[in-house]
Amino acid sequence: MEIAGFVEALRQDGEDLIDCSARSGWDAMVPTCPEWRVRDLVAHTGSVHRWAVGYLDGQAERRPVEICAPDDDGSLADWFRHGHRELLNRLTTAPADLECWTFLPAPTPLAFWARRQAHETAIHRLDAESALGVRPREFTARFAQDGIDELLTGFHVRPRSKVRTEQPRSLLVQATGDGLDPGQPRAWLLRLSSGPLRVEQPADVGDVSADCTVSGPSPMLYRALWNRGRYEDLDVTGDASLVELWRRTSAV
């Protein structure tokens, strides 16, 4: 996906997130994040948006996310919307050759922050919808396909990933259906062991042998892999204990 596509997704998901949050009420529980109320969800996401703006302004060193939401619930929605607008503005006005700190591979720092903030906000939009109790607005196949790739080849190949097995095992994740980007991977073979996850991207899964295979439309896979969806809606074959392992250990 291009930067403009990520920015548009971020715009829509941010607007939906705060709309659902305001409608559900700040004290509503977030079923997909049981330790959070809606107030916590909005405070977290709005603070992450401001954290990202610092890097888009050229910040070169890593700094922790600081929760900086107002204590007054009455101003929480406006506070979120202001930070969301600032993030969108920076992403659309930052120079293409921007240099700043990043933490996952990307073509450029600007491309990294557009992608990361789009998916960050998309997943938390699902959380806001779960708190309101409404059916989630569906992602496009390409956006979800990209999000699966970021999660698997970005986050979970890092040493901090807790998806480990005592003995080598393999899990094949395969996106099916229409609307996928033909230039991007649609299958990921996860090599699990006692060390960091290794991910292969087979062009043809016909000859791939895996202990477990999870396949389905990319939006369903995206939600499930981020623990915001149901594996019952997907096609799971082989050793389903690997799916349970992912549920328990894959939180980012």
Side-chain angles (χ1 to χ4, degrees), residues 196-209:
L197 189 72
R198 292 188 297 111
V199 181
E200 301 170 11
Q201 298 172 329
D204 183 357
V205 299
D207 296 326
V208 173
S209 176

Side-chain angles (χ1 to χ4, degrees), residues 42-55:
V42 172
H44 167 81
T45 312
S47 296
V48 169
H49 287 172
R50 287 162 169 79
W51 177 72
V53 165
Y55 297 111

Side-chain angles (χ1 to χ4, degrees), residues 19 32 34 67 69 71-72 111 146 175 200 202-203 240:
D19 178 64
T32 47
I67 302 301
D71 294 330
D72 174 23
D146 181 86
E200 301 170 11

Side-chain angles (χ1 to χ4, degrees), residues 201-225:
Q201 298 172 329
D204 183 357
V205 299
D207 296 326
V208 173
S209 176
D211 295 305
C212 179
T213 298
V214 179
S215 61
S218 60
M220 291 184 180
L221 279 173
Y222 180 53
R223 294 196 306 269
L225 290 168

Side-chain angles (χ1 to χ4, degrees), residues 118-133:
H119 289 299
E120 173 83 10
T121 308
I123 294 301
H124 288 316
R125 184 261 289 175
L126 292 176
D127 296 330
E129 289 168 333
S130 79
L132 185 58

